[in-house]
Amino acid sequence: MAASLPLLPVLGAFDRAALLGGEAILKQAGVRDVRVHDARHTAATLLIEQGVHIRVVQEILGHTRVTTTERYTHVATLQMKDASDRMDSALWGSG
């Protein structure tokens, strides 16, 4: 019979430290205070930046509506520049 794994290893290092009273250790180490929820926004943005379709990101995050996923993603400056360059090329044939 396989031993069941405890819950704590499933949690991230930051969550584990917080649960075990390690906030002071993280602060002393200079680790920035972040929420697990922030990682969802970061993951969604990174996936979009890598060209993953927003509907796929929606499924990964488990959102019912794509509008919820849209709120999770943040448009990067490079993406805006690329869009601008493409519009320029489409309108004026440059590039």
Side-chain angles (χ1 to χ4, degrees), residues 12-19 22-39 42:
F14 302 116
D15 297 329
R16 225 180 3 257
L19 284 175
E23 299 93 346
I25 294 169
L26 292 175
K27 186 174 183 175
Q28 184 179 13
V31 175
R32 199 179 69 167
D33 185 29
V34 295
R35 301 172 301 151
V36 173
H37 188 78
D38 295 336
T42 300

Side-chain angles (χ1 to χ4, degrees), residues 4 9 11 15 20 23-24 26-30 34 38 40 42 47 49 52-53 58 62 65 73 75-76 82 90-91:
S4 63
L11 298 173
D15 297 329
L20 299 174
E23 299 93 346
L26 292 175
K27 186 174 183 175
Q28 184 179 13
V34 295
D38 295 336
R40 289 175 57 84
T42 300
L47 288 168
E49 286 179 355
V52 176
H53 195 278
Q58 173 189 359
R65 296 188 202 111
T73 60
V75 178
D82 180 56
L91 290 173

Side-chain angles (χ1 to χ4, degrees), residues 6 9 13-14 18 22 27 29 32 40 44-45 47 50 67 74 79 86-87:
F14 302 116
K27 186 174 183 175
R32 199 179 69 167
R40 289 175 57 84
T45 300
L47 288 168
Q50 296 300 311
T67 53
H74 308 280
Q79 287 176 297
R86 289 180 188 214
M87 181 62 77

Side-chain angles (χ1 to χ4, degrees), residues 48-82:
I48 293 294
E49 286 179 355
Q50 296 300 311
V52 176
H53 195 278
I54 194 157
R55 294 293 217 169
V56 175
V57 177
Q58 173 189 359
E59 288 294 320
I60 290 170
L61 295 178
H63 293 152
T64 304
R65 296 188 202 111
V66 75
T67 53
T68 303
T69 307
E70 289 169 345
R71 287 195 310 257
Y72 269 69
T73 60
H74 308 280
V75 178
T77 303
L78 288 176
Q79 287 176 297
M80 291 189 297
K81 168 108 175 70
D82 180 56

Side-chain angles (χ1 to χ4, degrees), residues 1-7 9:
M1 174 191 237
S4 63
L5 296 174
L7 175 63

